[in-house]
């Protein structure tokens, strides 16, 4: 705890004074062993939602209700086709290779592989699809990084017991993981079990309520988080039991807060915020239990892990994946006050605990966020790091954004001697975004949704990725003049990044 406080104090005192300028090749050289690539998820890109044996997923069912207009979903069928990557995956992979990327992150659709959620009843066409998909990645000498679960379990598991709200989901996820490792384990060297359950357990149950699929009493954030942690651990041990070569990790969305001042109250508030925002899922998979700080704050709302469960979850990760977009400052406040930014973590303790307020960065390219997140994570866990998501839904500043974040990342890695094994931009191609449809072009590759052709083409930012691969250094890309004209902070490089842009 003392080390953490010192780090948080240093971050607060240092502010955001660093400017990533200059052409120091050694300082911004990509470290040996750091794989750089981009990612996609099945639900957001594949389409073919009911083709060739695939069953309806919980995400399919939710969005097709047509009841999510209050959450920004105006068309309940966009995801049905999405980018049609089920039929065009070879094109996506070829274009990733043209960008000279080395790491290709994707997720497997549980409902495509096991339509009935029964490993004894697999979908042969789904198995063939992913076997061909992975083979194509390997053909281009890229490293596949597979995510077992990215929000799209079979709807039948919602019908039976509300998915992650039930301990039965732990058993079914283990069964699914064992099947996947048997089929693809020898082909894939890097695995992530669950994509950001700290976000899923807050956001998706709220969407289920908005969609008329849950009653408020059906949602329990504490149960969902607990079952996700146990499900992850079961999958981790299934991987190890299969004696597969490779590594398997866990991911969380990380929005690290730094103290607004060096006052002890603000330092404590930041530590509490970080513990509830991310530590609540990370501490158990590393140390086998919730932190003492988390227990003190949440009290009896947390269901304790049994001694057997603690042994199961402790050390159940080879690396930790972090989805990083922004951060901000945290201040102590009167618990009866109601000021500060609203938290995007609906239904989570961050909405219930009122003794701190958060203020997000007033920067569109807050490159310091990746430094704060990685230093916080390394200081707390000393587990190898993989940046599983980082990106921006604007094409005009995409190269400048990734330049700033990657330059800060490699600088931080060298300064603190942090083990970072990979960085995957979100996303490889323009994808269906959960609350933005096709309006947020996160992709490194353009998809023609406007005319409905879904033709792929490289964006202007393509030269950044190619130059980085050719030189081994992260190129410096300045903001275009059209973007700098609207800046409110020269050091932080622009206006406001709203959290919902990543959903």
């Amino acid at each position: 705890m003392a080390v953490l406080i010192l780090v948080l104090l240093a971050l607060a005192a240092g502010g955001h004074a660093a400017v990533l300028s200059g052409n120091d090749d050694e300082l911004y050289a990509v470290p040996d062993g750091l794989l750089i690539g981009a990612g996609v998820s099945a639900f957001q890109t594949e389409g073919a939602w009911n083709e060739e044996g695939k069953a309806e997923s919980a995400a399919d069912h939710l969005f097709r209700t047509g009841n999510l207009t209050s959450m920004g979903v105006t068309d309940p069928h966009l995801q049905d086709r999405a980018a049609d990557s089920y039929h065009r995956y070879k094109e996506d992979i070829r274009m990733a290779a043209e960008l000279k990327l080395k790491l290709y992150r994707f997720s497997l659709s549980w409902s495509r592989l096991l339509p009935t959620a029964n490993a004894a009843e697999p979908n042969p066409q789904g198995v063939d699809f992913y076997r061909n998909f992975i083979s194509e990645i390997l053909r281009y000498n890229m490293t596949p990084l597979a995510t077992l679960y990215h929000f799209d379990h079979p709807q039948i598991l919602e019908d039976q017991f509300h998915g992650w709200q039930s301990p039965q989901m732990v058993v079914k996820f283990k069964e699914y993981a064992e099947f996947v490792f048997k089929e693809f384990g020898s082909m894939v060297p890097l695995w992530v079990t669950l994509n950001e359950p700290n976000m899923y357990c807050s956001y998706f149950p709220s969407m289920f309520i908005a969609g008329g699929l849950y009653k408020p009493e059906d949602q329990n954030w504490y149960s969902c988080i607990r079952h996700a942690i146990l499900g992850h651990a079961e999958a981790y041990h299934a991987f190890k039991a299969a004696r597969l070569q490779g590594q398997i990790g866990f991911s969380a969305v990380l929005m690290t807060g730094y103290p607004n001042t060096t006052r002890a109250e603000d330092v404590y508030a930041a530590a509490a915020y970080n513990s509830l925002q991310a530590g609540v899922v990370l501490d158990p998979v590393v140390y086998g239990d919730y932190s003492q700080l988390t227990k003190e704050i949440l009290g009896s709302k947390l269901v304790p892990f049994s001694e057997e469960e603690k042994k199961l979850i402790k050390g159940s990760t080879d690396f930790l994946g972090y989805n990083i977009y922004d951060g901000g400052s945290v201040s102590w406040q009167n618990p009866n006050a109601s000021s500060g930014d609203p938290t995007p973590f609906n239904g989570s303790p961050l909405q219930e605990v009122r003794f701190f307020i958060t203020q997000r960065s007033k920067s569109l390219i807050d490159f310091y966020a990746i430094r704060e997140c990685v230093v916080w994570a390394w200081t707390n866990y000393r587990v190898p790091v993989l940046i599983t998501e980082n990106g921006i839904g604007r094409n005009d500043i995409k190269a400048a954004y990734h330049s700033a974040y990657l330059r800060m990342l490699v600088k931080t890695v060298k300064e603190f001697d942090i083990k970072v094994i990979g960085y995957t931009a979100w996303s490889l191609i323009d994808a269906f975004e959960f609350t933005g449809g096709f309006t947020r072009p996160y992709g490194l590759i353009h998809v023609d949704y406007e005319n409905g052709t879904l033709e792929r083409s490289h964006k202007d930012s393509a030269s950044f990725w190619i130059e980085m691969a050719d030189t081994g250094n992260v190129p410096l890309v300045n903001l275009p003049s059209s973007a700098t004209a609207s800046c409110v902070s020269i050091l932080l490089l622009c206006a406001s990044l709203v959290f919902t842009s990543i959903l």
Side-chain angles (χ1 to χ4, degrees), residues 14 18 25 33 42 122 128 132 152 199 269 275 282-283 285 310 333 347-348 397 435 464 500:
D25 288 346
D128 288 344
N132 293 334
D152 56 349
M199 173 53 70
S275 187
L282 298 173
D283 289 321
V285 303
K310 289 178 182 179
Q333 74 163 1
S348 81
I397 58 174
T435 58
F464 165 78
T500 53

Side-chain angles (χ1 to χ4, degrees), residues 27-38:
L27 182 60
Y28 298 114
V30 178
D32 292 339
L34 172 56
L35 297 172
I36 293 177

Side-chain angles (χ1 to χ4, degrees), residues 111-151:
S111 58
R112 193 179 297 284
L113 287 168
L114 301 179
T116 65
N118 185 344
E121 301 173 346
N123 172 22
Q125 291 170 298
V127 173
D128 288 344
F129 170 72
Y130 286 114
R131 185 170 287 117
N132 293 334
F133 189 103
I134 297 166
S135 296
E136 192 72 6
I137 295 172
L138 294 170
R139 190 168 78 85
Y140 283 97
N141 296 315
M142 289 184 284
T143 299
L145 166 59
T147 301
L148 284 173
Y149 178 76
H150 199 124
F151 308 160

Side-chain angles (χ1 to χ4, degrees), residues 396-429:
D396 59 331
I397 58 174
K398 195 173 297 291
Y401 178 97
H402 286 291
S403 171
Y405 269 79
L406 275 164
R407 285 168 76 86
M408 179 57 85
L409 176 63
V410 299
K411 182 176 183 289
T412 302
V413 165
K414 294 171 182 179
E415 182 178 349
F416 290 91
D417 193 26
I418 299 172
K419 176 66 173 177
V420 178
I421 61 177
Y423 170 98
T424 52
W426 183 263
S427 52
L428 175 65
I429 64 173

